[in-house]
Amino acid sequence: MNSNKVKGTQGYSNYIEEFIKATSEIDFFDLHKDFLSYIPKEKGTVLDLGAGIGRDASIFSKMGHSVVAVEPLQEFRQASAHLYSSDQIIWIDDSLPSLTKLSEYHNQFDFILASGVWHHLNEEEQLLSIERVSELLKSKGIFAVSLRNGPAGAGTHVFPTDGKISIDQASKFGLKNLLMIENQPSLMKNKEDVTWTKLVFQKM
């Protein structure tokens, strides 16, 4: 899939180095502290949607998991190769909502993360994406998603997100909500007008 056609990547190419630096400065365990208890303790399969430069995928790999990292922006995939290289990570050029290149992974993942991705999808695409995530999760598998709200940053193709709407959408596809934490501050510098909602679901 040509990343130039993935609307959610619009704007990032203008701030590649700045985004890489800002992302690298944020600690995985600080950013995802609300998700940590839901990450499988035993070795499993993890899907990182919108994996960016690979920081999170790298941590999952170091935990012992087999990781599939989906990232449509070539510049980020290239950065990951020298920042977080690992033979336990499979990198795929694909994007939500269709994730067509993951057709062989139906019901394969124990844990799926979508961090800072959902606001690049409109409401219909968010619905289709949750349906696709449900197809990819194993029974009892976990989906953790962070929803961004605020003005556009490096990525310019943005839409509102709403935790309650996401919970309602997820319930249509057998995903039970386990956690919702709203109005969390951004860990990036100079983002006082950006807040995050953290959601965790389990496939029933």
Side-chain angles (χ1 to χ4, degrees):
M1 181 174 294
N2 189 334
S3 63
N4 293 328
K5 296 181 180 179
V6 178
K7 293 179 179 178
T9 66
Q10 291 176 4
Y12 285 104
S13 294
N14 299 323
Y15 299 97
I16 293 296
E17 294 305 319
E18 294 92 334
F19 188 83
I20 290 173
K21 183 176 185 295
T23 301
S24 300
E25 290 175 349
I26 297 176
D27 181 73
F28 172 95
F29 296 95
D30 290 337
L31 182 63
H32 299 310
K33 63 181 187 299
D34 301 309
F35 296 155
L36 295 179
S37 63
Y38 297 96
I39 299 172
K41 302 297 184 290
E42 298 185 5
K43 293 182 180 180
T45 51
V46 171
L47 174 62
D48 187 1
L49 295 174
I53 63 172
R55 177 203 58 210
D56 297 351
S58 174
I59 296 294
F60 288 129
S61 175
K62 289 176 180 177
M63 290 176 175
H65 300 300
S66 299
V67 183
V68 174
V70 171
E71 175 52 54
L73 199 63
Q74 182 180 3
E75 292 92 335
F76 288 164
R77 295 197 309 274
Q78 289 173 338
S80 74
H82 63 85
L83 287 172
Y84 302 107
S85 178
S86 170
D87 58 7
Q88 294 300 308
I89 302 174
I90 298 170
W91 281 89
I92 295 178
D93 175 8
D94 207 348
S95 63
L96 291 164
S98 56
L99 294 173
T100 53
K101 295 179 183 177
L102 293 184
S103 57
E104 65 195 74
Y105 288 94
H106 199 78
N107 293 329
Q108 288 297 302
F109 293 100
D110 298 291
F111 186 89
I112 298 178
L113 175 69
S115 179
V117 174
W118 233 240
H119 63 293
H120 293 312
L121 307 166
N122 64 35
E123 189 169 331
E124 180 184 1
E125 291 168 333
Q126 291 174 15
L127 177 67
L128 292 171
S129 295
I130 284 189
E131 180 180 17
R132 190 73 182 94
V133 164
S134 178
E135 293 170 353
L136 292 166
L137 273 176
K138 292 181 181 179
S139 177
K140 305 301 181 183
I142 294 292
F143 173 45
V145 57
S146 58
L147 308 180
R148 183 188 189 277
N149 268 306
T156 55
H157 185 76
V158 300
F159 298 90
T161 62
D162 186 300
K164 294 179 179 63
I165 290 176
S166 294
I167 290 171
D168 181 61
Q169 291 178 335
S171 69
K172 294 178 170 62
F173 303 108
L175 298 180
K176 178 184 178 182
N177 180 239
L178 302 181
L179 176 78
M180 180 171 76
I181 302 176
E182 298 180 292
N183 296 315
Q184 289 199 320
S186 176
L187 296 186
M188 279 193 175
K189 297 174 183 176
N190 304 314
K191 294 287 184 180
E192 292 80 7
D193 49 2
V194 172
T195 60
W196 294 85
T197 297
K198 305 295 180 66
L199 299 171
V200 174
F201 300 94
Q202 185 172 39
K203 184 174 180 180
M204 305 313 291

